[in-house]
Amino acid sequence: DFVTNHVAWDSPLRAQNPNWFHPNQSINNPEDATEREQGWVHGLPDLAQENPAVTDYLIGRALHWVQALQPDGFRLDALTHVPVDFVRTLGQTLGDKVELFGEFYDGRAHVLAERWRATGIQSAFDFPSHFALINTICGDQPMHALASVLALDRLYERPERLLTFVDNHDLPRLASKCGQDPKRVALALSVLFSLRGTPVITWGTESGLAGKGEPENRADMVFDRTHPSFQHLQALARQRAAQPVLASGKTLVLG
């Protein structure tokens, strides 16, 4: 997880390099690009990537970790608030051997498609399908809400590179959103593993971790191999591996 937008409130970088940060300001209009990229997200000091020293530092850190750990890739945090030019420079510097997963926290497919395309990175988290899947299977929206989102795959250059998910550390957990209904939880996971893209499971989902908000949705890991969700996920993973069409097939909405 590589964070390039902000630092902790008490980070030593603030005292060492105060000119590396934008002035303290909230984000009142997220549609305004300047405000979105220079405002402080949740009150966290916002790095000024337009400062060459900041860019050099962040890219230097990325190169350090690539050399030290040789990771397959990085999850790039909060890219909604990071300038596109910086993300492109980062990707070009790291090259194709380091895969970059972008978090563009926006439920609108056209916005996700535009920002993902502009950065040039390999993969992006599919927030539009996440909200549609949860609102239909765990909520009361009709299934055409999910079908409509899938129909917007035409906006993406490579929809199969999307990263699909049912919950994460920033969102209510699946068990809570489904009202602790095991049938709905199982159905949501089944749909997830049959959608185009790559399914992503956050720690604890396989053990029924609940939590509607912070810090409950970020609770400690629970290891429970007997939990129904654990066993269901095992079966889904085996099925997806045995049936390549589940991962590589084209999406067709029948009704």
Side-chain angles (χ1 to χ4, degrees):
D1 191 12
F2 192 57
V3 185
T4 62
N5 180 67
H6 49 261
V7 299
W9 180 261
D10 57 354
S11 170
L13 286 177
R14 294 187 67 197
Q16 297 167 0
N17 304 283
N19 63 324
W20 282 17
F21 299 89
H22 293 123
N24 189 346
Q25 55 189 324
S26 59
I27 302 174
N28 298 311
N29 179 17
E31 301 306 317
D32 182 282
T34 300
E35 189 173 324
R36 187 177 67 245
E37 294 175 1
Q38 297 186 9
W40 288 27
V41 178
H42 299 304
L44 295 171
D46 192 84
L47 287 160
Q49 292 88 356
E50 68 272 15
N51 182 334
V54 175
T55 293
D56 290 345
Y57 173 80
L58 292 172
I59 291 181
R61 291 293 83 200
L63 291 171
H64 163 77
W65 288 116
V66 168
Q67 183 177 11
L69 300 178
Q70 299 178 351
D72 292 326
F74 290 120
R75 170 192 176 272
L76 300 182
D77 182 69
L79 287 195
T80 298
H81 307 282
V82 179
V84 166
D85 290 345
F86 169 79
V87 182
R88 292 191 70 89
T89 300
L90 175 65
Q92 291 166 359
T93 303
L94 295 179
D96 295 336
K97 292 184 179 180
V98 180
E99 190 162 3
L100 298 179
F101 307 134
E103 184 206 23
F104 302 91
Y105 196 139
D106 200 297
R108 298 168 295 178
H110 70 281
V111 174
L112 173 59
E114 178 183 348
R115 293 177 182 168
W116 179 20
R117 184 183 302 110
T119 60
I121 62 176
Q122 294 96 327
S123 305
F125 287 89
D126 189 359
F127 280 87
S129 77
H130 160 77
F131 289 120
L133 190 153
I134 294 300
N135 290 338
T136 54
I137 294 178
C138 297
D140 56 5
Q141 287 192 9
M143 287 304 294
H144 70 67
L146 177 58
S148 297
V149 167
L150 294 176
L152 294 176
D153 276 1
R154 65 183 184 275
L155 300 176
Y156 305 112
E157 293 180 351
R158 296 189 64 186
E160 72 276 8
R161 298 291 297 173
L162 287 163
L163 303 168
T164 56
F165 60 100
V166 291
D167 62 8
N168 66 25
H169 63 289
D170 288 323
L171 297 163
R173 286 313 194 101
L174 178 64
S176 295
K177 290 297 290 185
C178 286
Q180 301 291 351
D181 183 338
K183 291 184 178 180
R184 291 190 180 221
V185 168
L187 180 57
L189 293 172
S190 296
V191 173
L192 180 73
F193 272 72
S194 62
L195 290 176
R196 81 288 183 268
T198 301
V200 177
I201 301 298
T202 302
W203 88 93
T205 299
E206 74 281 12
S207 301
L209 183 68
K212 294 183 178 180
E214 300 176 16
E216 290 80 14
N217 61 338
R218 302 183 179 193
D220 291 346
M221 177 66 180
V222 176
F223 296 92
D224 183 4
R225 289 176 172 269
T226 66
H227 195 281
S229 290
F230 185 100
Q231 297 175 347
H232 186 50
L233 277 169
Q234 274 193 328
L236 291 172
R238 293 193 187 104
Q239 185 180 45
R240 190 176 170 97
Q243 303 291 339
V245 69
L246 289 174
S248 61
K250 298 297 182 183
T251 299
L252 177 62
V253 177
L254 297 179

